[in-house]
Amino acid sequence: MAVEIVLSENQLHTLKKNSKRTLNNPEVERLFGELVWAGSALEFKQISIFLRELVTEESGKEFSCQHPEWFDETAESAKLVDRTVCDFCGYRQLCERAIDNLSVQILGVSMSGRNRISVLPEDNQPALERCFQGTNQRGESTVIDPFLGFSPLAYSSRFLYLVPYALMVERFPDMPSNQILHTAIGYDLKSAQSIWPSDVRILQLLMDKVVLRRLKKSLKSAERATEKLTQLDEISLRDIARQRNWNMGGTEDEFVESMHSMFEKIIQVLKSLHEFKPIAMTPMKPFVDHPFNSSGSGWLIIAVRILELQPQLLEFYLSHHPEDALFLNRFMPDNFERRGGLSVQLDHDEQRRFVPRFPAVLLCSEEQAQQVELELSSCRVIRTQLTSISAPCLLIDPLDFDLNNLQGWNFA
């Protein structure tokens, strides 16, 4: 059962939703069509008056017409009409009564499977209503949309979802364990990680079958690099390896040598593909355009991210370059792309699926607030509503994304 929150109420709306009549008079259809072809404002007015009189004949006479002057009537002689009369009014779009209430429907979401987690919006209605309470400039209590500035759909009628915090963490794990997520813009279900601004352009190329085929062909035949990593790239790569906790197994010198050799070859391949050059030449800022705490060249960032976003490319590369295989199990152990909560079937590249990074309101008690993070891989907490609740929950705006497209969701 959903909870409805009215954002903006039409004060003139006093009718029930099922209050409309069926009109069987063919003259209504003829006059309604003539309105479209009216040649002047006077002709339009005359047709509107005739149409109104015809539709009013069987009116329920539930309320007074809001604008009798449009039909040459006085306020004292205003006809009693019903919603059907208003629907067939020639001036309907100019009348306040045509404005519907703006409201949001809040649905509960649970996860299927052995670790089922559920929450019912109706059980938390008072807490949900407080999320929409605000104060205007006169200090008066008013209804607000908490997602204003974070959702292009703010102050429009739509569906929101109440999801247990634990479910969001389980359903959208951050496999690389990024520590700073505030500029992440989406989530990749295939590789179970956040998407950053620079990733969008990289993914556009990886999802282009022609470009991907050329990339694989070049990786397969990659020869020993003619250029070594720059000192800046070596420093950046070392920082990234530390940040990602790549295991320096065996002897560190052997691992570093293998890592350098592999990235030198991959960068050389990328430089041979003109599609990647505009990305590499674009300035990138750490923790803003990409998830790393340092920036080498754009080529290095692209090289690391294509292996994280498309882990199969690493296995493909190393199957043809066993001399660099020391790096394989250290870089992405245990089938990196298959780990996480509910895995999506991703046996084919065209099945890559993304979700936006949802804005969310966190509902929790003061004690629970100490145990949760405000930055999650799949959503960003824009506001916290302290309330008595059994477990922390997130009120999310799906940004016009259909959550039915996700495996494992159940709507309570």
Side-chain angles (χ1 to χ4, degrees):
M1 179 178 176
V3 167
E4 181 179 21
I5 305 292
V6 177
L7 298 176
S8 177
E9 184 175 4
N10 177 6
Q11 300 298 328
L12 299 176
H13 182 74
T14 59
L15 304 177
K16 296 181 180 179
K17 293 183 179 179
N18 299 322
S19 62
K20 299 182 182 181
R21 294 178 286 116
T22 300
L23 300 176
N24 298 316
N25 191 333
E27 190 70 2
V28 173
E29 182 178 358
R30 184 186 69 80
L31 289 173
F32 202 68
E34 286 188 5
L35 281 177
V36 180
W37 301 102
S40 65
L42 178 59
E43 183 181 2
F44 187 93
K45 181 177 181 178
Q46 291 174 339
I47 297 174
S48 294
I49 292 175
F50 292 148
L51 178 61
R52 179 168 173 266
E53 289 178 350
L54 189 62
V55 178
T56 306
E57 289 179 358
E58 298 181 5
S59 169
K61 297 179 172 54
E62 296 176 335
F63 54 89
S64 297
C65 175
Q66 182 68 21
H67 290 283
E69 70 276 10
W70 292 346
F71 305 94
D72 295 335
E73 297 175 355
T74 63
E76 291 75 19
S77 63
K79 285 185 171 64
L80 290 174
V81 296
D82 60 14
R83 185 60 183 267
T84 303
V85 176
C86 290
D87 286 345
F88 284 86
C89 178
Y91 298 99
R92 181 179 185 276
Q93 298 303 321
L94 301 178
C95 184
E96 298 91 332
R97 191 179 290 278
I99 302 175
D100 295 326
N101 290 345
L102 294 178
S103 64
V104 296
Q105 300 283 335
I106 303 176
L107 301 177
V109 178
S110 63
M111 179 182 283
S112 60
R114 55 188 178 88
N115 295 325
R116 180 178 175 85
I117 309 171
S118 63
V119 61
L120 299 177
E122 58 268 30
D123 292 341
N124 299 281
Q125 184 164 348
L128 290 171
E129 291 176 345
R130 284 195 291 274
C131 294
F132 294 83
Q133 292 177 356
T135 305
N136 60 22
Q137 293 180 344
R138 295 187 296 273
E140 302 168 338
S141 179
T142 185
V143 178
I144 63 169
D145 190 323
F147 296 99
L148 181 63
F150 295 92
S151 171
L153 304 177
Y155 281 109
S156 64
S157 296
R158 64 199 192 279
F159 288 105
L160 303 179
Y161 298 89
L162 185 64
V163 189
Y165 176 90
L167 188 154
M168 292 296 288
V169 174
E170 180 180 350
R171 183 62 183 82
F172 302 104
D174 180 26
M175 298 313 301
S177 299
N178 294 289
Q179 296 180 351
I180 299 179
L181 291 165
H182 61 273
T183 60
I185 59 174
Y187 185 85
D188 180 8
L189 289 163
K190 181 172 184 177
S191 56
Q193 62 179 305
S194 296
I195 298 300
W196 303 75
S198 62
D199 294 336
V200 175
R201 302 173 69 189
I202 296 173
L203 286 165
Q204 287 175 335
L205 297 179
L206 292 180
M207 295 172 67
D208 186 316
K209 294 182 179 180
V210 175
V211 175
L212 183 59
R213 184 165 58 248
R214 290 173 54 221
L215 175 59
K216 284 187 172 182
K217 182 178 180 180
S218 298
L219 287 174
K220 180 178 179 179
S221 59
E223 299 178 354
R224 186 174 183 84
T226 56
E227 295 182 15
K228 296 291 185 180
L229 293 176
T230 65
Q231 185 177 12
L232 181 61
D233 276 351
E234 287 186 0
I235 295 173
S236 180
L237 187 56
R238 184 175 64 248
D239 290 342
I240 292 173
R242 185 181 301 111
Q243 179 184 346
R244 287 296 195 239
N245 197 28
W246 294 344
N247 187 355
M248 300 296 183
T251 63
E252 184 174 339
D253 290 343
E254 290 179 358
F255 178 81
V256 171
E257 182 179 350
S258 175
M259 181 172 65
H260 285 184
S261 173
M262 185 181 75
F263 279 104
E264 286 167 358
K265 293 176 185 176
I266 293 176
I267 289 175
Q268 182 168 270
V269 166
L270 291 173
K271 287 184 176 180
S272 69
L273 303 174
H274 66 87
E275 291 90 348
F276 289 95
K277 185 175 181 180
I279 305 176
M281 296 297 103
T282 302
M284 299 182 190
K285 188 174 181 179
F287 292 136
V288 175
D289 299 295
H290 58 73
F292 306 122
N293 57 8
S294 65
S295 283
S297 67
W299 298 110
L300 177 65
I301 300 301
I302 296 173
V304 176
R305 287 306 281 161
I306 64 172
L307 298 183
E308 291 191 327
L309 295 167
Q310 195 90 342
Q312 297 89 341
L313 285 177
L314 177 63
E315 297 180 16
F316 175 85
Y317 169 85
L318 291 171
S319 67
H320 297 284
H321 299 278
E323 68 275 10
D324 295 329
L326 177 64
F327 195 68
L328 175 60
N329 292 329
R330 312 300 198 273
F331 186 60
M332 294 176 183
D334 303 328
N335 293 321
F336 175 91
E337 74 279 11
R338 303 288 181 176
R339 295 168 59 196
L342 287 175
S343 62
V344 178
Q345 297 302 316
L346 296 167
D347 294 329
H348 304 286
D349 289 342
E350 60 267 21
Q351 291 181 335
R352 180 186 295 276
R353 301 201 325 201
F354 306 94
V355 295
R357 193 161 182 242
F358 307 115
V361 176
L362 172 66
L363 288 82
C364 64
S365 66
E366 191 170 353
E367 295 76 18
Q368 293 166 345
Q370 309 300 320
Q371 306 168 7
V372 297
E373 299 289 339
L374 301 184
E375 297 285 356
L376 301 178
S377 56
S378 61
C379 67
R380 181 181 185 183
V381 176
I382 60 173
R383 178 181 173 186
T384 299
Q385 180 66 52
L386 295 179
T387 184
S388 177
I389 194 169
S390 58
C393 292
L394 294 165
L395 176 64
I396 69 171
D397 187 318
L399 301 177
D400 210 20
F401 181 87
D402 186 2
L403 291 184
N404 284 298
N405 289 333
L406 295 180
Q407 293 179 345
W409 292 108
N410 286 327
F411 295 93

